[in-house]
Every structure is written in structure tokens, then in C-alpha cells.
Amino acid sequence: MPARVQAAPTALSGERALRQEIGERLPKELRGIYAARGNRPLWIDEDGRISPAATALVAAMGSAELDGLNPRKLKPGKIADAIDNAADGSIERLARAEIALSSGYVRYVQALRQAPRSGMLYETQALAPVVPTAAAALGALAAASSVEDYVRTMGWMTPFYAPLRASLAAGGMTPNQARTAAVNLARLRALPPIPSGRWVLIDAASARLWMFDGPNVSDTMKVVVGAAKSQTPEMAGFLRYAIVNPYWNMPDDLVPSRITHKVITKGPGYVAANRYEVLEGWEDDAAVLNPRKVNWQAVAAGKEAIRVRQLPGPGNFMGAVKFMFPNPQGIYLHDTPERDLLTKSARHFSNGCVRLDDAQMLGRWLLGKPLPKSRNPETRVELPTIVPLYITYLTAMPEQGRVTFRPDVYGRDGGLRPPGVALVR
């Protein structure tokens, strides 16, 4: 019987050697995420070449003043040196470059999520941006279909951020435009990235709404937002339910012009003829009052207060439906019978709430089916899943490869320089 010949052990392949070298050099905070992927590199391809994503990362870190950060604290020069040193293909130097890139990436993402941002009212801190752990930041990068695309589009930020930042970095803006762009980057930093699931974004400057599925736009529509004297705030909440056939509860400041003076001149019959009701208070079970028994002169003089609501049906100021994200400011989204306002290029006419161009479309998207029909007033329809809603104010907006600058209708740009944000020279 011939003797069994034992094959000589083969040398580790270049890839295996690189993985081993990376595993031996990883700092503690990176070990878990790399171990989960068998120490496979994120920044080096199968041929041992460093990905173009590395160049994009170093460039972004080097211009981090656009993000309100100090680039020197991010140390992009050291990462660039590590990349240059790895050009000879040395396993040791490639491993050093890989680790320098991942450590620098985590450092940049965490710093950017802590960078100065504009104020926003959050229903809960669960809606605010968070500083990711090293494992979370690298895990999102590793899960991306393309590391290069993820870095170039700054996938850890909201979708409008990278295009506006790139336009600012490219130059060509006037000093005032550059300041405005920097202010709007600070506003976008107040929005978290939402990698999956449905969410809604409303921009009060352009009076437009977007429906997103993760980073992708599902649809968009025009809206009407608050006038300069009754501004729609920058805020975030969860859309939780719709109300079909809503009443319109008239704001107190509109009662004199819409009801009181007209009743005084035309008589109490004006109330019922225009499908209004007068109630004794704001409780859910408040009694309906006979308008003939209301002291309208006292109401006009401010000595008495009344609650007025408009009945559901044709002409109701709320239209057929409103969408609720409960908040102390009393802001919500609603249908509208005033269709002419939606044809205007500037659509700042409301009392703060948001009027929708196509409320039925939004309802279908939120529910996954058409809104139910009901003859009953104030029919509540729960959404199958609560949906994050963000309302921002972008006077500089990236659109089709360029930046559109809009009038500062609300006067919020002010001095145009958010604290801590360096300007382009």
C-alpha cells in the first residue's frame, strides 16, 4: 500500500493575510463589527486597492468647516498619509490604512451628528438625531449596497444634506448665498437619517411635502403653510391617526372677523346658515348654544369668549380629512376647499397648519388603502404604523443639480450665521 502523501500547507492568500493583519491591529471599539464580518475590509477591494470611498471621506473631513466642525480635530491628513503609505500593496500598511479610515469615518460621523444645528421642536427625543456608536456607524456603512455611494451621499445624514453641502463646497455662490446655504445645512442637521420605513418631510419655505421610504422619495405635493404672521414652526412628531369628516374649530383670533361682526350686522341666523355652531366651552362634551342667546356685543368687546366650530361637509375649512400628530402648538395637516391657493407659486396663507394639495393621496400612502368613507363627524382612523413627520424651513434647497434660493418669508435667517458654523471664503 503506497504511503499517504500529505500535502504541504499552502501560504495564506493575500486576502486572508490582510484579514488576519486587520484583526490583530483593530482598536477595541472596532473589533465587534469587524469580527462579525470576518475582518473583511470595508475600504479595500479584492485586488488590494483602496476604494475611491476613501478619497471621498478624506475630502469631506478636510472641508468639515462646512459642517460647523474644525477639520484639524478630525485629522484627515493622517488618514491621507496612511493611504499614501499603502500604495506599495504592503499587507501591514493596507491594514493600517483600513483601520485609519474606519476610525476616521466613525470620528467624522459622530462629530457631524454633534455639530451645531438649528432649533427644532421634537415631540420626543426619539425623533431627534443621535450620535451613533462606532458599531452602529460602521454597521450602516457595511450594510450599504455601495460603500462609495454611501460616503459620497453622506448616507448617515438626511438626503438633502450632501447635495447642498457639495454645492457650497464647489464655490460659485455669492457671500450671502454661501451664508444662507450654511444656515440651511444647520437646519438639515436637525433632521436624523431614516434608513428604512415611511416618513414625511414638509418644507415651509417652498411649501412642499415629500413622502419618503427610507432615503427614497415615494411622492411629493404642494402644500399651503403659515403666513408670516402665523408661521408654521420647525417641528417633528409622529403622525398617528386621521379624522374623517372633521369639524373646524375656529381659532379665537378669527372669531371676530369670521363670526362676531357678521352676526351683529346680519343677525344670529348667519351662524346656522353658514353651517357653524356656537359652544359653551372647549370640552369634548361642551353644549351647543342657541346663537340668539349669545351676547354678541360682549363677545365683540372681548368681555365674553365663545367657541365656534364649522360642521363637516362641503365647504368645511378642514376639507374631508385631517391628519394628526398631537402637539402643544395645535398644528396638523388637512384637506382644503380653497384650491386656488395651491395654484400660487408662494403659498404662505394659513394660520400655521398645513393644507394639502391631495389629502386623499396622502391618506392612501399612510394607510395602504383609501381613506374610509363615513357619514359621522370626527371619525377617527388609526394609522397602521405611526409615521415620523418633520417640518423644516429651507431657504436654500438642492434641486436637480443646483441650489434654489427662496425668500426668507419668516425672517428666520436673521444674521445668516448659525453659532459655530464657519463660512466659505
Side-chain angles (χ1 to χ4, degrees):
M1 183 174 181
R4 179 179 296 174
V5 178
Q6 186 171 358
T10 59
L12 287 171
S13 68
E15 182 184 357
R16 289 180 61 195
L18 179 57
R19 290 194 195 189
Q20 182 174 321
E21 188 74 19
I22 289 171
E24 292 174 355
R25 293 181 175 275
L26 282 169
K28 183 178 180 180
E29 67 272 15
L30 302 185
R31 289 174 191 165
I33 185 63
Y34 269 92
R37 51 186 286 110
N39 291 331
R40 282 187 298 114
L42 283 163
W43 306 92
I44 301 168
D45 65 22
E46 296 177 353
D47 296 322
R49 293 189 294 259
I50 293 179
S51 163
T55 303
L57 175 65
V58 172
M61 295 172 72
S63 59
E65 71 276 0
L66 304 179
D67 307 306
L69 301 171
N70 183 345
R72 287 178 294 180
K73 292 184 177 180
L74 300 173
K75 303 176 182 178
K78 288 189 175 182
I79 300 175
D81 289 343
I83 294 171
D84 289 342
N85 290 338
D88 63 359
S90 159
I91 294 297
E92 177 184 341
R93 290 177 178 177
L94 282 171
R96 289 180 182 275
E98 170 73 19
I99 294 168
L101 282 160
S102 286
S103 296
Y105 167 81
V106 169
R107 190 162 59 246
Y108 180 44
V109 170
Q110 290 177 336
L112 187 45
R113 291 284 42 163
Q114 297 179 82
R117 65 187 192 220
S118 65
M120 176 169 278
L121 303 171
Y122 298 101
E123 174 193 332
T124 168
Q125 281 304 112
L127 290 160
V130 298
V131 179
T133 64
L138 279 175
L141 179 68
S145 58
S146 165
V147 170
E148 182 179 355
D149 288 346
Y150 189 82
V151 172
R152 290 191 187 281
T153 61
M154 303 181 81
W156 59 93
M157 302 297 289
T158 197
F160 292 126
Y161 191 85
L164 180 57
R165 187 190 189 279
S167 294
L168 180 57
M173 295 183 184
T174 68
N176 280 342
Q177 287 175 334
R179 293 186 184 98
T180 300
V183 168
N184 282 274
L185 284 176
R187 289 180 180 135
L188 288 169
R189 287 196 290 274
L191 307 178
I194 302 181
S196 62
R198 294 180 174 187
W199 60 286
V200 175
L201 177 68
I202 295 171
D203 170 36
S206 63
R208 181 161 285 277
L209 175 150
W210 290 266
M211 292 163 275
F212 281 90
D213 189 351
N216 303 312
V217 176
S218 296
D219 218 326
T220 183
M221 71 175 72
K222 294 182 289 185
V223 296
V224 174
V225 294
K229 64 180 180 180
S230 52
Q231 300 179 10
T232 299
E234 293 169 67
M235 61 192 302
F238 285 109
L239 287 165
R240 298 176 183 274
Y241 60 94
I243 295 179
V244 177
N245 285 348
Y247 291 108
W248 175 44
N249 288 289
M250 188 179 296
D252 290 341
D253 60 339
L254 293 183
V255 170
S257 62
R258 297 235 179 181
I259 294 292
T260 308
H261 297 309
K262 292 181 179 179
V263 170
I264 290 173
T265 57
K266 297 182 180 181
Y270 177 86
V271 176
N274 288 275
R275 299 181 56 78
Y276 291 114
E277 288 181 334
V278 180
L279 294 88
E280 65 177 0
W282 284 91
E283 300 80 11
D284 290 342
D285 59 352
V288 177
L289 303 177
N290 184 335
R292 297 183 184 280
K293 296 183 178 180
V294 174
N295 186 341
W296 292 101
Q297 295 292 346
V299 173
K303 296 179 180 179
E304 293 185 14
I306 59 170
R307 172 187 170 191
V308 177
R309 71 182 180 189
Q310 187 182 32
L311 296 173
N316 179 277
F317 194 73
M318 294 287 101
V321 62
K322 61 181 179 180
F323 300 94
M324 307 300 292
F325 58 110
N327 59 86
Q329 291 72 33
I331 303 298
Y332 45 86
L333 318 183
H334 66 89
D335 192 10
T336 178
E338 296 184 313
R339 309 303 301 175
D340 61 310
L341 297 181
L342 288 155
T343 65
K344 300 182 182 298
S345 57
R347 297 181 294 278
H348 300 84
F349 300 104
S350 84
N351 295 304
C353 290
V354 178
R355 307 180 197 178
L356 303 166
D357 184 29
D358 195 338
Q360 296 297 322
M361 178 181 78
L362 179 61
R364 286 193 303 273
W365 185 77
L366 291 171
L367 293 170
K369 60 184 179 181
L371 284 162
K373 297 184 183 300
S374 175
R375 294 183 179 180
N376 299 321
E378 296 280 306
T379 300
R380 178 164 168 156
V381 181
E382 301 289 341
L383 302 187
T385 304
I386 59 174
V387 175
L389 166 70
Y390 293 88
I391 302 178
T392 187
Y393 179 70
L394 300 177
T395 51
M397 166 75 84
E399 295 179 309
Q400 299 178 342
R402 63 186 182 87
V403 176
T404 299
F405 293 91
R406 292 189 168 87
D408 181 15
V409 176
Y410 291 168
R412 293 181 187 170
D413 288 351
L416 299 177
R417 182 172 182 175
V421 174
L423 303 182
V424 175
R425 301 300 182 192

